[in-house]
Amino acid sequence: NADKLFREWSRHWDMSRQFLLEKSPPNIVRLRYFQALYPGSRFIVILRHPLAVSYATRKWSKTTIPELLEHSILCYERFLSDMSHLRHLAAFRYEEFVQGPKPTLDLVTDWLGMPKVELKHEVRPDVNAKYFETYREEQASFLNRLKPSFANMAEKFEARANALGYSIEEPERLVPVPWLGLHG
């Protein structure tokens, strides 16, 4: 499986590079499998507010925001349960990265043992704001208040989101969590 997967991925890589990257979001629930296939690998996980993820992906799926939110939170919870089994992991929040990308980038390059790199593109710190505004507008919508799945979304997901470092009730608020940072 390791050889087959490497062949498939290597078509997309510059094989002359020292470091190779595969960044598909679904991989967050496959890290233990990848570690078994590639024992020396290192994993960098960047979590993003589940509401922002839900609103950003809604255009591609024919799924409701409550269903997308459940999916995002479930994937993050699976990641948390897998964390203790991962030997080399860096876990960060997107929201903190975009506020100060250079320190996070420097921390990761040091952890990987690679030279520091310069940012070549602007990192916009306000991308989630439009999703949070849409969420508030939809929460206030008369029709959505009649839908049980949407009307009690904050109540239903708040505790689970808090365990992940986020809030549904106050989306801009980041909840402290002890598991962020470098592991191994």
Side-chain angles (χ1 to χ4, degrees), residues 66-163:
E67 291 168 323
L68 289 167
L69 188 57
E70 172 66 31
H71 176 77
S72 294
I73 289 175
L74 194 59
C75 289
Y76 286 1
E77 288 169 339
R78 170 76 181 274
F79 162 69
L80 281 184
S81 72
D82 288 348
M83 273 186 71
S84 65
H85 301 280
L86 301 172
R87 288 186 287 280
H88 303 290
L89 172 69
F92 302 98
R93 284 190 275 215
Y94 166 86
E95 293 78 9
E96 292 167 331
F97 170 75
V98 298
Q99 294 302 318
K102 187 65 173 139
T104 303
L105 189 58
D106 289 346
L107 188 66
V108 169
T109 55
D110 287 347
W111 179 68
L112 291 171
M114 63 185 287
K116 296 209 183 322
V117 295
E118 293 302 315
L119 289 169
K120 295 181 181 178
H121 303 283
E122 174 191 5
V123 176
R124 294 178 29 223
D126 61 344
V127 174
N128 282 356
K130 68 181 177 185
Y131 299 123
F132 297 157
E133 182 59 30
T134 303
Y135 167 68
R136 284 188 184 90
E137 289 169 1
E138 291 182 2
Q139 281 288 97
S141 157
F142 177 75
L143 290 177
N144 281 333
R145 283 188 277 147
L146 296 176
K147 297 177 188 173
S149 65
F150 208 98
N152 69 353
M153 216 165 56
E155 179 183 303
K156 179 180 178 186
F157 292 110
E158 184 67 10
R160 291 171 68 199
N162 287 175

Side-chain angles (χ1 to χ4, degrees), residues 6 10-11 13-18 20:
F6 187 80
S10 62
R11 293 183 293 205
W13 287 327
D14 177 349
M15 296 305 292
S16 68
R17 300 289 185 153
Q18 181 182 359
L20 304 173

